[in-house]
Amino acid sequence: MDELAGEFEAERGHLLAVAQRMLGSRSEAEDAVQETWLRYSGALADPADRARIRDLRGWLTTTCSRLCLDVLRSARVRREAYPGQWLPEPVVTGLPAADGFAPDPAERAVRADQLGTALLVVLERLTPEQRVAFVLHDVFAVPFGDVAEVLGTTPEAARQLASRARRAAHGPDTPRHSADLAEQRRVLTAFVAAVESGELEQLVRVLAPDAVSIGDAGGHFPAARRPVVGAESAARLLLGLFDQARRRGGLRVRPVLVDGTLGWHAELAWPDGRTMRMVTSFAVHEGRVTGVFNQLNPEKVGELPPLGPDAAWPPRW
């Protein structure tokens, strides 16, 4: 059993990445990985059974993906009843070393499993089968034969599911994100300066014409119930939000990576005495912000550690 546990722990990070990107929920992803362990330890406790598994990562990925597929199929009703807009639970990590912002042709390949919030939002529009096919094949390079095994279909059908998902992910109403970290830093520095200025026209110039702003409060804080689309509409909303934050005072921000892209973790004192925590991520394409995603549902950001005394506005990457 110790040997099985060691083998599984070596794959836990990979399985968690797969499940997180399929489900958009850290807690649900952890549950899926734990259930994968239970099935693994039960099915392969006999050394003879374990010896027949030549590709352990493949076996574990298939098992975990089937569990995620079941969760996705049952989650539809829960998502339809969700109060307001829905965003995935953010995966928040520290900033890279100073030289990590340098443009690097290999950066996109290195970050291939970091979808960014924009694409995770798009994945919510897909059927469970399309989402599983897309994540497994396009993100984690799982062959279509293995994807078909997860879905209980043929490789050709799995290929078609991934193709439909790909078209949806790159559709005209999808916030585009193609910037490396260096470009993200340049654009977001201009974004913060525009917000600081309070000038509508300056902020509009930083936003793409079809930019979208989405906020997920889960019913705990005020938030727009539908996406705000268009540079001017989004700019007015964002300037209003930051003006309210400044007037309340106490806004503190720490720059972070959110699902592999630049963003920030913020805290603000709410009038009723609560501390509002928020994780903001962005989509950046061709020198402009195409998407602003504010996650302020305490059920999704409540486990983040409190900000230290060095956190302040404006953020500097």
Side-chain angles (χ1 to χ4, degrees):
M1 186 59 70
D2 289 343
E3 183 178 352
L4 286 179
E7 290 179 334
F8 184 85
E9 288 303 315
E11 301 295 341
R12 181 181 289 274
H14 165 75
L15 296 175
L16 191 57
V18 170
Q20 171 79 28
R21 282 147 187 80
M22 284 188 184
L23 301 175
S25 166
R26 182 76 176 187
S27 58
E28 289 181 347
E30 290 175 343
D31 289 344
V33 172
Q34 183 61 25
E35 181 62 27
T36 302
W37 156 250
L38 294 175
R39 298 196 179 190
Y40 165 67
S41 59
L44 303 182
D46 187 331
D49 293 333
R50 173 64 187 88
R52 284 193 286 269
I53 303 298
R54 296 183 178 180
D55 179 8
L56 179 60
R57 169 169 286 198
W59 191 95
L60 292 172
T61 300
T62 296
T63 301
C64 187
S65 298
R66 285 172 173 162
L67 292 167
C68 290
L69 182 60
D70 290 340
V71 174
L72 285 171
R73 286 168 171 164
S74 65
R76 287 276 169 170
V77 174
R78 297 201 309 273
R79 296 279 166 84
E80 289 173 359
Y82 193 80
Q85 302 177 81
W86 185 94
L87 288 172
E89 293 180 25
V91 177
V92 178
T93 54
L95 293 179
D99 60 358
F101 287 105
D104 180 359
E107 179 184 305
R108 195 172 307 281
V110 171
R111 298 182 179 277
D113 66 339
Q114 299 287 355
L115 301 186
T117 305
L119 188 50
L120 287 170
V121 170
V122 174
L123 294 183
E124 283 298 304
R125 307 175 188 173
L126 306 178
T127 67
E129 293 77 13
Q130 288 172 344
R131 182 166 184 163
V132 168
F134 178 89
V135 170
L136 285 179
H137 183 266
D138 286 40
V139 180
F140 292 98
V142 175
F144 278 121
D146 295 341
V147 176
E149 184 179 350
V150 171
L151 297 174
T153 188
T154 64
E156 181 55 35
R159 187 186 303 274
Q160 291 177 358
L161 286 167
S163 178
R164 294 191 192 102
R166 203 175 299 121
R167 287 196 296 270
H170 298 91
D173 60 343
T174 302
R176 299 162 310 288
H177 178 75
S178 61
D180 60 24
L181 288 178
E183 183 182 358
Q184 290 175 46
R185 181 171 63 170
R186 290 192 297 269
V187 172
L188 294 189
T189 297
F191 175 88
V192 170
V195 169
E196 280 286 276
S197 75
E199 296 293 330
L200 179 66
E201 291 185 0
Q202 184 174 339
L203 183 54
V204 167
R205 286 195 294 271
V206 181
L207 301 176
D210 57 351
V212 60
S213 176
I214 300 177
D216 177 352
H220 296 275
F221 295 99
R225 295 192 63 82
R226 295 184 179 181
V228 177
V229 181
E232 184 168 335
S233 297
R236 290 185 185 278
L237 172 68
L238 293 166
L239 287 177
L241 292 175
F242 281 102
D243 181 61
Q244 291 179 29
R246 278 194 291 265
R247 284 191 282 107
R248 288 194 179 103
L251 175 63
R252 299 188 300 140
V253 174
R254 179 170 67 92
V256 294
L257 290 180
V258 185
D259 296 308
T261 63
L262 289 186
W264 61 63
H265 170 197
E267 288 184 356
L268 176 67
W270 203 248
D272 62 7
R274 290 181 295 168
T275 296
M276 186 186 78
R277 290 182 175 177
M278 179 173 68
V279 172
T280 300
S281 56
F282 299 86
V284 178
H285 178 71
E286 295 184 347
R288 291 185 175 183
V289 173
T290 61
V292 182
F293 309 98
N294 292 315
Q295 178 57 266
L296 53 153
N297 184 345
E299 297 173 7
K300 298 183 181 182
V301 297
E303 294 187 4
L304 290 174
L307 293 178
D310 58 332
W313 176 268
R316 289 181 172 82
W317 290 276

